[in-house]
Amino acid sequence: IGGGFIGLELAATARKLGAEVGVIEGLPRILSRGVPKEIAAIVDERHRREGVKILCGARIATIGHQGDGANILLADGGSIAADLLVVGIGATPNTELAEAAGLAVEDGIAVDETLRTSDPDIFAAGDCCSFPLSHYHGRRVRLEAWRNAQEQGTLVAANLMGAAKLVASVPWFWSDQYELTLQIAGLADDAAVTVRRDLSDDAFILFHLDGEGRLIAASAIGPGNAVARDIRLAEMLIATGSRPDPAALASPETKLKKLLGV
C-alpha cells in the first residue's frame, strides 16, 4: 500500500525475486509527492511492463486477516488477497520528547538555520526536524532522505563546537527501480516554467524555474548513472541562485558547466 519511493522500490525488488506484486495508491497517480508526472509515467509503465499491478485512486475500507495472509477490502466493493502486506504511506516525526521538553514543534522539531531548537542549548537533525531553506526564501521543510540526515548530523556536531554554520545544501533525492535511476535536486513546487533536455534516447532531465527565471529544481530519469552528472551540475546551479537561459538549458549542445562559469 503506497505508491511512493518506498512502496515502488519494494515492489521492484519483490518482482525481481519472482513475487506477484500489486501496488495500491490512493491518489490519481504514483509518485505524486515531488516527482513530475512525466517521470512518474515512465516509472508506472516500467512497473506494469514487469507485471506489477498498479491500482491508483483506490480507497481502502478495511484490512483483515485471511488465513496466514491479508485481505484488503476496497471502498468500491472490490477485494485483494495477499500473502504479505506492506504499508508505506508516509512518515510521522517522533516529537514526543521534544514536546515534553517544551520545544517548538512545526511539522517536526522546529529549528533555525543552524539547526538550533527553541531552546538555545538543544539542536535537532535529520528526519525529525523542520528547518528553513535559504534557497527557497526561508521556506520551512522536513526532509526524509539519508543524505540530509548525514549532512545535518555533521553540521550539528560542528555547531555544538561553536562553528555557527548554516544549512546551505540543496535537497536531493534518488531512487533505483529495475535498471532506472530517478534523481531530483531542489523543490519544484513553485515552478513557473519547466524545460526538458534530452540526454540520450532513454534519459532526460527537466529543469524547473520560478517566475523570476531562477532555477529551483531539476528532475531526471535514465538507466544506471546516465543522469547523475547533469543532476549534480544542476544542483550546483540551484545553490548559486542561477538564472540560466531556458534555451541553453534545453540544448544538449550547451554544457551545464559553461552555465556555471567553470
Side-chain angles (χ1 to χ4, degrees):
I1 300 175
F5 285 133
I6 295 298
L8 294 172
E9 288 173 3
L10 180 65
T13 300
R15 193 70 192 99
K16 286 195 290 186
L17 291 172
E20 291 184 30
V21 183
V23 175
I24 302 172
E25 169 58 51
L27 295 175
R29 68 170 174 89
I30 61 171
L31 296 173
S32 58
R33 182 183 172 191
V35 178
K37 61 182 180 180
E38 298 95 324
I39 291 178
I42 291 173
V43 176
D44 184 292
E45 189 277 333
R46 182 67 185 87
H47 274 279
R48 293 180 190 274
R49 183 154 40 96
E50 198 67 29
V52 176
K53 299 172 183 175
I54 298 178
L55 185 61
C56 291
R59 299 295 177 185
I60 295 173
T62 61
I63 298 174
H65 290 286
Q66 182 170 305
D68 293 331
N71 185 65
I72 303 106
L73 179 64
L74 301 177
D76 65 5
S79 65
I80 300 172
D83 297 317
L84 177 67
L85 176 62
V86 179
V87 181
I89 55 174
T92 301
N94 293 326
T95 59
E96 294 85 355
L97 181 60
E99 291 171 6
L103 302 182
V105 171
E106 184 180 343
D107 184 32
I109 305 170
V111 297
D112 64 15
E113 62 273 15
T114 67
L115 301 182
R116 190 188 299 269
T117 70
S118 55
D119 184 320
D121 293 326
I122 301 176
F123 290 76
D127 296 26
C128 69
C129 75
S130 65
F131 59 97
L133 271 176
S134 60
H135 302 304
Y136 300 91
H137 308 294
R139 171 183 171 185
R140 184 168 291 277
V141 299
R142 186 172 60 81
L143 300 179
E144 301 161 9
W146 69 265
R147 192 174 82 169
N148 176 67
Q150 176 177 285
E151 291 177 345
Q152 288 193 349
T154 302
L155 190 145
V156 162
N159 287 347
L160 284 169
M161 300 299 290
K165 292 185 176 181
L166 306 181
V167 176
S169 58
V170 173
W172 175 77
F173 311 91
W174 66 278
S175 178
D176 286 339
Q177 296 177 42
Y178 308 109
E179 78 287 355
L180 295 175
T181 294
L182 182 164
Q183 291 198 35
I184 297 176
L187 304 174
D189 307 34
D190 296 327
V193 176
T194 295
V195 178
R196 172 170 171 155
R197 173 189 287 229
D198 290 316
L199 305 176
S200 65
D201 290 340
D202 49 6
F204 65 89
I205 182 169
L206 301 175
F207 296 101
H208 310 284
L209 300 97
D210 66 12
E212 298 176 350
R214 186 171 61 94
L215 182 65
I216 57 173
S219 313
I221 191 168
N225 293 321
V227 304
R229 180 175 176 276
D230 291 87
I231 279 288
R232 176 58 185 145
L233 292 170
E235 185 179 348
M236 295 166 69
L237 286 166
I238 295 167
T240 59
S242 177
R243 289 177 168 79
D245 177 6
L249 289 176
S251 173
E253 285 73 38
T254 303
K255 302 296 184 185
L256 294 182
K257 271 192 173 183
K258 181 180 178 181
L259 300 180
L260 276 167
V262 297

